[in-house]
Amino acid sequence: MKRIFKNLIPVAALALTFGMTSCVGDLDVEPLDPNMSTELSIEGLFNKCYATIAMAGNGGANGDCDIDGIDGGTSGYVRQMWNSNELPTDEAINGWGDDGIEQSCFNTYDASHPMLAGYFARLTTAITYCNQYLTVAADHDATMTAEIRFLRALHYYLLMDAFGRVPFTEQMGTPEVYDRKQIYDWIENELVNNVEPNLSEAKAKKSTDAGYGRVDKASAWMLLARLYLNAEVYTGTAQWAKAAEYAKKVMDSSYRLNTTSVNGWSAYQMLFMGDNGESDAAYEAVFPILQDGLTTTSWGTTLFLCAGSFDNDMHANPNDLSGVNGVSGQAWGGNRTRPNLIQKFFPNLDAPQVPSYEMPAVAGDDRAIFDGVGREINNLDRATFKNGYAVAKFINYKSDGSAGHDATFMDADFFFFRTAEAYLTYAEATARQNGGAATAEGVKAINDLRARAHASQKAGYSLNDILDEWSREFYFEGRRRVDLIRFGKFGGNTDYIWQWKGGTYIGRNFDEYRNIYAIPAAQLPVYNNVQNPGY
């Protein structure tokens, strides 16, 4: 049972916009029920600040959505983060006809993109919940306050990463626009001086342990490591030493790589299964976003990651060929791989047409969880799901063979931060300080990940090797765009092309200004009608 949301109390009549000028624009959030009680519940509001990442609204998957103008499944926090960071890259392509999908896949997005507007709205709404809590309950409990300040910093980080300039306020009032350097400096100061000192001690947990699903010091270290790793992109000044320092704090904590396999499921696969909060996989989850088929349901979190990548011809469990992915009737046939992702595991693009449970052995890497049965490696047609190998990484099967809590919704938590990120952050940051070659400690960190996956060990790694390792370890987890930008492989005159990059089948470069998304058109009044350059 994912207890943090068990007693979530709806909070009515919140001021869910930034003062007189809304930062949510046409997607303004309104009270879900004008007749509900307006009595303040500090616990309910605290839970809501977490729940907005996990669920579309107070009613779960089929209840009202916090964001007006877009359905709850589409507006999911994780789903929109995933769409913005995976679909424009070398890892994923989607065949649906939803507004904005083709533009994301072809790198032709602009200020009218509806899903990016939804992402902006989800993040700004989440910030408003945090500001509401801090306005009325900052003195209630120091640790709880630090957790909410962390969540707010995380939302601001994602806004900064995606949109560059950010409408910023720490109160329930009219925001001012911060540029990337200003918001970067604020996030750094907030995490170092106001958040990390007041969080609970870093301690790996399972769902049966108190505090599972709540952030502790390791979450602050992980966000700082990510911030510093991308500092040169955000501010023009690299911070490799700080990135390595904070990554090492996570590596030296009680959080650890999962190396335990159960009943034939690999240790890597267990990170993405229905009981990942209950098995030893949980000890790798620095910040798990909780899902439960009965109590914490969403169409836009791990169910999206699972169902969106399956069709009914796939079977992820060799012991249950009558099933598909561990949930009933949820195989939406949308997201699948681009050839470049397959090439990370099969350099000659000779991946066989075998099911996902056979692919890792052929690849010599447990992370190659791809289904090739009846599929074409190339994305000849964006709309055809079988043009591209499928990903069976996120599933709702449990490692002990037991059923989920519900036939439709996922029990699998989404590991927003996991310890493996610290290992690759440390390896990359120290390599960049070492002339582009991994240090001995960095080589060991990467080899530890490869050993967990039963992949071959290597004596050294270049920066390009490390970029490939980021993809092997974290594909389809919602971060690829960020990594490609940091390595100079996304927008601009790069040496890296993938199918449909820039809107052509053979791929072509697109302008560097697209490394930052356009400010959604409805939000421009907040920015004094100044759009991001290039749009």
Side-chain angles (χ1 to χ4, degrees):
M1 183 71 69
K2 310 303 190 283
R3 294 189 303 274
I4 193 168
F5 303 135
K6 182 178 180 181
N7 297 313
L8 188 145
I9 302 171
V11 181
L14 299 182
L16 296 179
T17 57
F18 287 124
M20 296 298 292
T21 306
S22 170
C23 282
V24 187
D26 289 344
L27 301 177
D28 286 349
V29 180
E30 299 176 355
L32 299 180
D33 181 355
N35 298 312
M36 71 172 63
S37 169
T38 58
E39 180 181 352
L40 175 67
S41 165
I42 291 176
E43 179 185 347
L45 183 52
F46 176 80
N47 281 347
K48 182 64 179 178
C49 291
Y50 275 100
T52 192
I53 304 177
M55 300 188 294
N58 289 357
N62 295 319
D64 292 319
C65 179
D66 291 340
I67 310 296
D68 284 346
I70 189 170
D71 72 81
T74 303
S75 74
Y77 190 111
V78 171
R79 179 171 179 166
Q80 289 303 337
M81 180 183 72
W82 192 97
N83 283 341
S84 72
N85 287 327
E86 292 289 351
L87 291 182
T89 76
D90 62 333
E91 288 189 352
I93 194 168
N94 182 290
W96 294 334
D98 304 35
D99 287 345
I101 290 291
E102 181 174 280
Q103 291 92 329
S104 291
C105 293
F106 293 173
N107 312 100
T108 57
Y109 35 79
D110 57 23
S112 66
H113 196 289
M115 292 191 183
L116 289 171
Y119 187 36
F120 188 101
R122 177 60 68 180
L123 291 171
T124 52
T125 300
I127 290 166
T128 306
Y129 284 129
C130 293
N131 281 342
Q132 173 75 0
Y133 180 91
L134 295 169
T135 297
V136 301
D139 296 331
H140 174 70
D141 180 276
T143 301
M144 291 170 66
T145 293
E147 291 179 47
I148 300 306
R149 294 181 79 150
F150 169 86
L151 294 176
R152 182 177 63 179
L154 174 64
H155 307 322
Y156 272 129
Y157 168 80
L158 292 174
L159 261 181
M160 173 192 68
D161 176 77
F163 299 100
R165 295 176 297 137
V166 169
F168 177 79
T169 179
E170 296 182 82
Q171 301 174 344
M172 299 299 293
T174 303
E176 58 181 307
V177 177
Y178 273 24
D179 63 26
R180 263 187 164 176
K181 178 64 165 59
Q182 287 174 300
I183 195 66
Y184 175 97
D185 289 343
W186 179 86
I187 293 169
E188 179 185 27
N189 178 70
E190 179 77 347
L191 292 172
V192 172
N193 295 315
N194 299 320
V195 173
E196 191 270 348
N198 295 307
L199 289 174
S200 58
E201 295 303 315
K203 182 180 179 182
K205 313 167 193 70
K206 292 184 179 180
S207 65
T208 50
D209 298 321
Y212 178 77
R214 293 174 61 173
V215 297
D216 60 23
K217 289 182 186 295
S219 294
W221 300 336
M222 200 69 263
L223 183 53
L224 280 164
R226 187 180 290 191
L227 181 75
Y228 289 135
L229 189 66
N230 293 285
E232 190 169 27
V233 173
Y234 300 145
T235 71
T237 302
Q239 297 288 355
W240 308 123
K242 288 183 177 180
E245 174 190 351
Y246 280 93
K248 193 67 164 59
K249 286 178 179 284
V250 178
M251 295 168 67
D252 291 342
S253 74
S254 67
Y255 289 96
R256 60 183 184 269
L257 300 179
N258 181 45
T259 57
T260 302
S261 60
V262 175
N263 295 330
W265 298 103
S266 72
Y268 183 78
Q269 175 73 86
M270 289 182 66
L271 298 168
F272 314 102
M273 296 181 67
D275 60 346
N276 59 354
E278 290 70 55
S279 71
D280 283 359
Y283 294 137
E284 186 165 331
V286 175
F287 181 27
I289 306 302
L290 308 187
Q291 296 288 277
D292 183 285
L294 294 177
T295 64
T296 312
T297 60
S298 170
W299 297 106
T301 311
T302 48
L303 182 58
F304 164 73
L305 299 175
C306 174
S309 299
F310 274 80
D311 66 11
N312 285 315
D313 295 333
M314 297 166 61
H315 305 282
N317 186 353
N319 299 315
D320 180 17
L321 295 183
S322 65
V324 176
N325 50 17
V327 283
S328 178
Q330 303 302 325
W332 308 341
N335 300 314
R336 74 274 190 195
T337 66
R338 302 204 200 205
N340 298 64
L341 176 54
I342 300 301
Q343 201 164 26
K344 301 297 185 290
F345 298 91
F346 294 91
N348 298 319
L349 283 177
D350 55 354
Q353 293 180 307
V354 298
S356 60
Y357 49 83
E358 294 181 8
M359 193 71 74
V362 183
D365 194 318
D366 290 345
R367 300 170 294 187
I369 311 174
F370 307 119
D371 188 288
V373 177
R375 299 183 183 277
E376 161 65 50
I377 284 180
N378 293 307
N379 307 130
L380 301 171
D381 177 16
R382 183 188 71 84
T384 301
F385 183 62
K386 284 185 167 56
N387 277 194
Y389 274 33
V391 171
K393 183 172 181 175
F394 293 89
I395 57 178
N396 206 43
Y397 289 110
K398 299 194 175 186
S399 56
D400 63 2
S402 63
H405 293 152
D406 182 85
T408 301
F409 295 106
M410 297 280 283
D411 291 333
D413 297 333
F414 175 70
F415 293 173
F416 197 104
F417 292 130
R418 55 186 181 89
T419 310
E421 180 176 343
Y423 279 64
L424 282 175
T425 298
Y426 181 82
E428 180 186 333
T430 51
R432 290 186 183 274
Q433 295 175 282
N434 190 47
T439 64
E441 295 83 0
V443 170
K444 181 182 184 305
I446 298 173
N447 280 339
D448 284 348
L449 295 178
R450 293 180 62 85
R452 186 255 294 277
H454 297 99
S456 61
Q457 304 288 281
K458 296 184 179 181
Y461 296 91
S462 67
L463 283 176
N464 281 336
D465 293 332
I466 292 172
L467 177 60
D468 287 347
E469 207 62 40
W470 274 113
S471 187
R472 293 186 191 100
E473 182 68 29
F474 283 99
Y475 69 90
F476 272 51
E477 292 185 51
R479 64 168 294 137
R480 185 58 171 172
R481 169 186 151 274
V482 182
D483 295 328
L484 288 175
I485 291 172
R486 187 174 66 256
F487 278 80
K489 305 287 187 181
F490 193 63
N493 186 23
T494 80
D495 61 356
Y496 189 49
I497 302 296
W498 53 84
Q499 285 178 7
W500 296 111
K501 180 181 182 182
T504 68
Y505 174 70
I506 62 172
R508 63 183 178 187
N509 285 324
F510 54 86
D511 290 334
E512 188 174 4
Y513 73 80
R514 292 187 182 277
N515 285 357
I516 297 175
Y517 287 118
I519 304 300
Q523 312 309 324
L524 281 174
V526 180
Y527 290 81
N528 295 318
N529 294 311
V530 178
Q531 182 56 271
N532 281 335
Y535 290 102

